[in-house]
Amino acid sequence: LVQYLIMENFYKWFKRYTPGIITCILIFSAMHFYSIEYMAKTLFSGAVYTLIYFICMRRQWNGMVWTSLVHSLNNCFGLLITVVSDNL
């Protein structure tokens, strides 16, 4: 939802997607501010999620669904690794 609002409004204001893409990445990273190191790591995943959303938007697919699915799968994979490594 946030990506949609940012991407659409920034495109209307700037007539370019780049400002919206950069803003989405930075906001995603800022929303994961547990530490500076973790925030820096989420810049990469934020870029991936924003790219997925952008591609879906350009293809007129439901970007929110695809981005949420990839984000959820990533979180589940991280949880699985944590659970397995704690039980070893």
Side-chain angles (χ1 to χ4, degrees):
L1 181 60
V2 173
Q3 286 178 325
Y4 170 79
L5 294 172
I6 291 170
M7 295 288 278
E8 293 299 317
N9 287 317
F10 274 54
Y11 184 75
K12 288 177 188 175
W13 298 333
F14 298 107
K15 303 299 182 213
R16 296 175 51 215
Y17 285 108
T18 307
I21 290 171
I22 292 169
T23 303
C24 284
I25 294 168
L26 293 174
I27 287 175
F28 180 82
S29 182
M31 289 171 55
H32 292 81
F33 185 70
Y34 306 114
S35 69
I36 296 292
E37 179 184 333
Y38 190 75
M39 191 172 143
K41 289 178 184 178
T42 59
L43 279 172
F44 176 74
S45 56
V48 170
Y49 301 142
T50 301
L51 180 63
I52 291 168
Y53 184 84
F54 178 73
I55 290 170
C56 289
M57 184 180 71
R58 298 290 289 171
R59 294 182 179 182
Q60 297 182 344
W61 296 349
N62 191 334
M64 192 167 119
V65 169
W66 286 103
T67 305
S68 297
L69 178 65
V70 172
H71 191 187
S72 296
L73 288 172
N74 182 53
N75 289 347
C76 287
F77 185 68
L79 179 64
L80 179 65
I81 288 173
T82 302
V83 169
V84 168
S85 66
D86 286 348
N87 290 321
L88 291 179

